[in-house]
Amino acid sequence: MSFDEEDSIEHTLLVVREVSVFKIPPRSTSGGYKCGEWLQSDKIWSGRLRVVSCKDRCEIRLEDPNSGELFAACFIHPGQRESSVEPALDSSRYFVLKIEDGNGKHAFIGLGFNERNEAFDFNVALSDHEKHVRRENEKETGETSDSDSHIDIHPAVNHRLKEGETIRINVKHKPSSGTGMLSAAGLSGSGKPKTLSLAPPPSGAGKIRSPLPPPPNDPVAARLASTSQGVGQRAPKENMKQTNPSTYFSQLERNHLPATGSGSTKTTASGWAAF
């Protein structure tokens, strides 16, 4: 293999089936570009993107997906990635590319990916090419750094879950060790609240218990007992007097009959002549 044939070898680092190209306005500030300023009507092309490594140069090619015709190309020379590819300030899916026609003329266009993982793979492919070029240069000069001596170029690993895959996480519940009022009531934040269990009522809960007997020498208790006995003895006699009609009749006779008899004696005595 000749030296020219070795330079003509190309390594495809990434292929994205569909990307969008926008006509962008001039940079408004020195900070960078914002994709929010790009209008949907400014979309000028959509097609396939390929990242190709040509020895120490990396090329970003925008091609027609059917015919493979080249629409535009961005050339990244060693150490000039920031001037050729610039990310947008307000989105990780959009970039600004510096395209060249091969005759010294260049222009800036907007590049947009449909998915964030595609934009991530695009960044990884450019970084892998830079590491590969730096490692080849160090081999030629015989200088190797400790940080890059154990780094291998691997394709980007997709850690996304496939359709139907699930992740199971086992979480151990720690028992609550609080001894305060909240933990006693089941409110210590340990998941489910505890139920308070009450003891059943005693069998004789429906009966009213009699009060305790008073002491034997209590004067108040003796007075209450004598009063209750007197009331109990007078009540039958009063009832007998109220229920015996003959008693009322005999009292009426005593009150009225002697008064009538004395009046008659007086009248009879008034009718006789006194001698």
Side-chain angles (χ1 to χ4, degrees), residues 12 14-21 45-52 59-73 97 111-114 118 122:
T12 301
L14 177 69
V15 176
V16 180
R17 294 182 178 179
E18 184 177 359
V19 295
S20 301
V21 175
W45 185 83
S46 63
R48 183 178 62 193
L49 177 142
R50 280 202 308 147
V51 179
V52 181
E59 296 182 6
I60 303 173
R61 299 176 182 178
L62 302 176
E63 302 172 343
D64 184 88
N66 299 323
S67 62
E69 182 182 358
L70 181 65
F71 171 76
L97 303 182
L111 175 67
F113 294 90
N114 297 329
E118 295 176 349
F122 176 71

Side-chain angles (χ1 to χ4, degrees), residues 139-237:
K139 286 182 180 180
E140 292 178 0
T141 58
E143 297 177 359
T144 57
S145 60
D146 296 336
S147 59
D148 294 339
S149 59
H150 300 286
I151 297 178
D152 295 329
I153 299 178
H154 297 286
V157 180
N158 187 2
H159 296 283
R160 293 182 300 171
L161 292 178
K162 298 180 181 180
E163 185 177 359
E165 292 184 349
T166 57
I167 296 178
R168 182 177 180 182
I169 301 175
N170 296 326
V171 180
K172 296 182 180 180
H173 298 279
K174 296 182 179 181
S176 60
S177 58
T179 57
M181 297 176 62
L182 294 178
S183 61
L187 301 176
S188 59
S190 58
K192 300 181 179 179
K194 299 179 181 179
T195 57
L196 300 177
S197 59
L198 301 176
S203 58
K207 298 180 181 180
I208 300 176
R209 297 181 179 179
S210 60
L212 296 175
N217 297 328
D218 190 1
V220 179
R223 192 182 305 112
L224 292 175
S226 61
T227 304
S228 61
Q229 290 179 2
V231 173
Q233 292 176 0
R234 287 195 300 270
K237 293 181 179 181

Side-chain angles (χ1 to χ4, degrees), residues 237-255:
K237 293 181 179 181
E238 291 177 358
N239 293 335
M240 290 178 63
K241 291 179 181 180
Q242 292 177 3
T243 56
N244 193 355
S246 61
T247 306
Y248 283 102
F249 186 71
S250 61
Q251 290 179 359
L252 291 174
E253 285 181 347
R254 292 194 205 97
N255 296 332

